[in-house]
Amino acid sequence: YACPVIFEREDLFVSPPSSVSRFDALFGGFIWSHIPVTLLIKALENLSKKVRPGGRLVFVDNRFVDGSSTPVHSRDADGNTYQLRKLADGSQHLVLKNFPDPDDLQRILSGLGSVEVQELTYFWVAACTLA
């Protein structure tokens, strides 16, 4: 293809070196909901430093849908929500799972550039064109 894709694994919570932004876009699938709210802005700033100005950050994640989503088990003092998930071996685990609404997505990402948010039945998509 004329448009090569590069896959990399990096730590969202570690600032990248101050090298030149090298990506046209970054995609985050089903990761936003697992980032603690107190670390979200820093993680997004770190990601935006990897993308050239005018490039895009695109995210997709779950919406909370009554009757379909695993119920929210608890909420912490920072506003994070958790689900209690049971594995096939019978063990249970609390999993960080935040469900931002479209206004949250717009407000959080607008600090980085222009934002488009789309709500689907079970998912949301947010795209931010960096300033």
Side-chain angles (χ1 to χ4, degrees):
Y1 295 103
C3 180
V5 175
I6 299 169
F7 293 93
E8 292 188 6
R9 275 189 353 194
E10 295 187 27
D11 189 332
L12 291 172
F13 308 114
V14 175
S15 292
S18 59
S19 59
V20 177
S21 301
R22 57 191 172 123
F23 294 108
D24 295 322
L26 290 176
F27 173 77
F30 304 95
I31 186 67
W32 184 296
S33 58
H34 298 289
I35 301 173
V37 295
T38 56
L39 299 176
L40 184 59
I41 299 296
K42 183 63 176 168
L44 293 171
E45 287 172 349
N46 289 344
L47 288 172
S48 71
K49 290 175 186 173
K50 296 173 176 286
V51 178
R52 65 171 177 74
R56 298 187 81 171
L57 295 176
V58 179
F59 298 93
V60 63
D61 215 320
N62 300 98
R63 292 183 60 217
F64 185 82
V65 178
D66 248 344
S68 175
S69 301
T70 302
V72 171
H73 176 271
S74 55
R75 179 181 304 270
D76 68 20
D78 293 324
N80 293 297
T81 54
Y82 298 84
Q83 294 174 323
L84 185 61
R85 296 190 183 170
K86 187 174 182 177
L87 301 183
D89 67 4
S91 63
Q92 294 186 19
H93 303 271
L94 271 181
V95 175
L96 173 67
K97 186 69 174 175
N98 290 317
F99 297 96
D101 64 35
D103 290 338
D104 293 332
L105 296 166
Q106 185 75 37
R107 177 182 48 77
I108 292 165
L109 286 169
S110 66
L112 299 173
S114 62
V115 182
E116 303 164 47
V117 176
Q118 183 178 11
E119 279 192 292
L120 306 169
T121 303
Y122 298 101
F123 310 102
W124 56 260
V125 180
C128 178
T129 302
L130 300 178

